[in-house]
Amino acid sequence: MPRRIVLLSGHVATGKSDVAAALDERFGVRLFKTREVIHQLKKVEPERGALQRAGEALDRETKGAWVATELRRFIDTMGPEGAESIVVVDAVRIRAQCDAVRRAYGSRVMHVHLTASKAVREERFGSREGEVQELASYDAVLENRTEQQADTLNDIADIVVNTERNTIADVVVRIASRIGLYGRGLDRTVDVLVGGQWGSEGKGNVVGYLAPEYDVLVRVGGPNAGHQVYQEPVPDTFYHLPSGTNRAPHTEIVLGPGATLEPVRLLEEINKAHLDPSRLRIDPHAMIIEPGDLAEEARRLTGSIGSTGQGVGAATARKVLRTGAKRKVRLAKDFPGLKPFLRPTLDVLDRAYAAGKRIFLEGTQGTGLSLHHGEYPYVTSRDTTVSGCLADAGIAPTRVRRIVMVSRSYPIRVQDPPGGTSGHMPIELDWKTVANRAGLDAAELKAREKTTTTKRDRRVAEFDWTLLRRAATLNGPTDIALSFTDHLDAANRAARRFDQLVPDTIQFVEEIERVAGAPVSLIVTRFDYRNIIDRRQW
């Protein structure tokens, strides 16, 4: 049994079929077209006058019950998967048809009647193109008695909408709101993950662990941040796609409007992950990185502040300027290869909210690199805090349930470029010191600690407690994920429970909780499949 049955009525050219099509595109409703039923039952040609006469004949023969009868057969063909569906009937024409459907389906039925002045209907009729052969004039349409009485349904409809004063999109919003397609409130179904330092905190690994618990995975940012997830024989690395794409194969994948895309690399990622348009949604307003953006960053930034030089900042600047005098701005909707995947993020999220689906938003880079809150100019080209990620994705703060902030035991920054710096770290170390403290092989550690995107060496420093507090203030985390605890002590690699961590590490965790004002709920001990101690209470 369908969750809802929406009856559409109104004169010819009031917009019924356009509304039905928009509901189908927006919400994936099931369309029941009475015109097609008349054609099948009476074997008439798809011509307006013939269809009108055949419909009236069916009304006389069944006292209007034929719509309800055929609707029942249509619903029966949907099977069990149609249990939670919405069926839109395009269209009902007399009261007896409406009454028969209401007797069959009761409170599941909602009747929407559309109106417009005769002058507007006549103008629309003159430009109609469709499968039905139209009559010579709108006056000829009105010669039909049933058509003349169409507005008598105004009195029994649940909603009456004047389509002169409402766009088709407006009508869809009003219908969707009435039947609860947007939900009945602002449920907190979104969890957010961000980095608490200067990036490379191990966010991808944490996301890969959490992703199977969610229905929708969202990522913003650009390919200047590569996120790794453990996989044999080599790790999965994601530059555009959410890090849980392969770990959670039944989730919807969303790239938000604030994302910046290098289309060739993105399509390679899509193919590698075997994604198709039924699963991947790319917002039409996401920005395209052009070859000139890479050249500009290579010339201006990589040698001075340690930028990854992936063109993200240059592309973002062009988007902000809106109209490039010399270089055209291209968005995702302007790149042909991405067309099958285009879908406004707000539409995807609205449906997810209404269905009570759990959504996971993955931020990129780290709070210390925020354009607004980092050590300018040694920052990235966007706000990397929770607020910035939510804005880039188009998610309201009131939707957020949990905020996970990832910090690593020894924060890192990319190696200083010749003649420049990638930014200050208060107490800088070398990898040999870290290795000696932890009982790790120094050469192996240094070889492993290279940036994911550019493969540059990383600088390392003592844990920055001031940065932790600043990041906690900016992000308001409900939970901390502490990564690379094996860098504190190699013995932590053997821990499977919190009490098995070495005592110094336990004390370190407790102090992080005091400074951040949030529990350390996830502890990463090594890089393999079973690498996280889960202390969550949610």
Side-chain angles (χ1 to χ4, degrees):
M1 183 71 73
R3 178 157 53 107
R4 277 288 191 173
I5 296 172
V6 179
L7 305 180
L8 297 178
S9 65
H11 279 294
V12 170
T14 51
K16 300 183 297 297
S17 294
D18 288 340
V19 168
L23 285 166
D24 183 27
E25 180 181 1
R26 179 74 173 76
F27 297 104
V29 302
R30 305 294 186 98
L31 295 182
F32 177 76
K33 298 184 178 182
T34 55
R35 170 178 58 79
E36 293 179 355
V37 174
I38 294 171
H39 174 68
Q40 294 167 3
L41 293 178
K42 289 298 187 179
K43 309 300 181 186
V44 296
E45 294 299 319
E47 186 268 332
R48 176 71 60 187
L51 289 168
Q52 286 178 328
R53 292 188 293 273
E56 288 184 326
L58 284 170
D59 287 335
R60 289 192 298 272
E61 294 164 9
T62 67
K63 296 183 180 179
W66 65 274
V67 174
T69 300
E70 297 303 320
L71 178 60
R72 170 70 70 181
R73 291 176 181 166
F74 175 79
I75 291 171
D76 288 344
T77 65
M78 296 193 305
E81 66 275 11
E84 287 301 309
S85 64
I86 294 167
V87 176
V88 175
V89 179
D90 177 21
V92 290
R93 296 171 57 79
I94 62 173
R95 181 167 186 157
Q97 294 174 358
C98 301
D99 291 344
V101 175
R102 286 194 184 276
R103 283 195 298 270
Y105 297 101
S107 60
R108 288 183 172 84
V109 179
M110 188 186 73
H111 180 187
V112 180
H113 185 73
L114 305 181
T115 67
S117 67
K118 181 176 181 292
V120 168
R121 302 196 313 264
E122 193 167 19
E123 181 181 353
R124 293 173 180 171
F125 182 80
S127 60
R128 284 171 72 98
E129 294 182 2
E131 300 174 359
V132 175
Q133 180 182 342
E134 296 293 354
L135 297 174
S137 68
Y138 193 70
D139 284 336
V141 173
L142 291 177
E143 290 177 4
N144 175 263
R145 183 177 177 181
T146 300
E147 182 64 26
Q148 292 171 7
Q149 299 176 354
D151 271 345
T152 61
L153 298 185
N154 192 327
D155 297 333
I156 63 169
D158 298 296
I159 302 176
V160 177
V161 182
N162 185 328
T163 58
E164 288 183 58
R165 299 183 179 183
N166 293 266
T167 64
I168 296 301
D170 290 337
V171 180
V172 169
V173 167
R174 293 175 69 174
I175 294 173
S177 299
R178 181 63 177 265
I179 61 180
L181 289 179
Y182 297 128
R184 297 298 187 185
L186 292 177
D187 295 331
R188 295 180 180 271
T189 57
V190 178
D191 294 343
V192 188
L193 180 141
V194 294
Q197 294 156 322
W198 295 292
S200 298
E201 299 97 347
K203 294 182 292 296
N205 189 44
V206 177
V207 172
Y209 174 76
L210 294 174
E213 301 179 12
Y214 296 87
D215 304 296
V216 183
L217 303 179
V218 186
R219 184 165 169 180
V220 292
N224 50 348
H227 292 182
Q228 287 191 344
V229 180
Y230 185 83
Q231 179 64 41
E232 292 287 358
V234 294
D236 282 331
T237 302
F238 298 93
Y239 296 95
H240 296 91
L241 301 176
S243 301
T245 297
N246 293 337
R247 287 284 183 89
H250 302 296
T251 55
E252 282 189 270
I253 303 299
V254 178
L255 300 182
T260 311
L261 313 176
E262 200 290 295
V264 174
R265 181 183 288 185
L266 172 57
L267 288 170
E268 289 175 354
E269 281 190 69
I270 291 170
N271 292 332
K272 184 178 179 181
H274 306 292
L275 293 177
D276 60 45
S278 67
R279 187 176 175 213
L280 172 62
R281 323 291 190 179
I282 300 174
D283 193 279
H285 288 166
M287 182 65 181
I288 295 293
I289 298 170
E290 305 289 357
D293 296 321
L294 280 75
E296 181 173 344
E297 290 196 359
R299 179 170 56 88
R300 291 188 172 189
L301 298 178
T302 56
S304 59
I305 63 170
S307 167
T308 60
Q310 301 302 302
V312 174
T316 301
R318 290 191 298 107
K319 187 177 185 181
V320 170
L321 291 173
R322 299 180 295 282
T323 54
K326 296 181 179 180
R327 298 169 61 192
K328 181 181 178 182
V329 171
R330 282 200 303 171
L331 304 179
K333 64 182 180 181
D334 303 314
F335 192 86
L338 299 178
K339 186 175 181 180
F341 305 99
L342 297 181
R343 186 73 180 269
T345 300
L346 284 182
D347 290 354
V348 179
L349 294 177
D350 240 344
R351 293 182 67 176
Y353 298 146
K357 292 183 177 181
R358 296 191 62 187
I359 300 163
F360 195 70
L361 171 60
E362 176 182 356
T364 60
Q365 302 171 288
T367 299
L369 295 175
S370 166
L371 176 63
H372 308 307
H373 307 294
E375 180 196 356
Y376 192 89
Y378 310 107
V379 293
T380 191
S381 56
R382 54 186 293 274
D383 181 14
T384 52
T385 66
V386 168
S387 300
C389 293
L390 290 172
D392 284 351
I395 296 174
T398 49
R399 295 285 187 184
V400 176
R401 183 186 69 130
R402 311 296 299 191
I403 296 170
V404 180
M405 188 173 79
V406 187
S407 295
R408 58 183 289 162
S409 56
Y410 286 94
I412 65 93
R413 295 195 84 150
V414 68
Q415 188 178 54
D416 286 338
T421 178
S422 61
H424 175 66
M425 291 195 293
I427 305 177
E428 196 158 344
L429 302 171
D430 56 50
W431 288 111
K432 183 178 180 180
T433 300
V434 174
N436 289 340
R437 290 178 180 178
L440 298 169
D441 182 87
E444 178 187 344
L445 183 59
K446 185 175 181 180
R448 194 169 66 235
E449 285 292 350
K450 293 183 180 292
T451 58
T452 304
T453 300
T454 59
K455 306 305 179 186
R456 296 181 194 166
D457 290 335
R458 289 168 169 164
R459 299 155 55 204
V460 64
E462 297 281 12
F463 191 84
D464 190 332
W465 296 95
T466 302
L467 178 59
L468 174 67
R469 183 60 215 165
R470 281 178 53 81
T473 301
L474 287 165
N475 293 302
T478 61
D479 301 85
I480 303 295
L482 176 63
S483 60
F484 296 94
T485 57
D486 55 334
H487 289 186
L488 296 173
D489 196 310
N492 287 327
R493 291 181 175 178
R496 301 296 185 269
R497 303 186 307 273
F498 181 64
D499 61 277
Q500 292 177 323
L501 294 169
V502 300
D504 285 350
T505 300
I506 291 176
Q507 292 178 14
F508 186 72
V509 167
E510 291 171 345
E511 184 143 13
I512 286 177
E513 292 178 332
R514 285 193 292 270
V515 173
V520 175
S521 300
L522 299 161
I523 301 172
V524 184
T525 58
R526 60 200 175 282
F527 193 57
D528 68 5
Y529 275 116
R530 190 181 176 191
N531 61 12
I532 290 180
I533 297 173
D534 192 337
R535 306 173 70 220
R536 291 178 295 159
Q537 299 299 313
W538 46 278

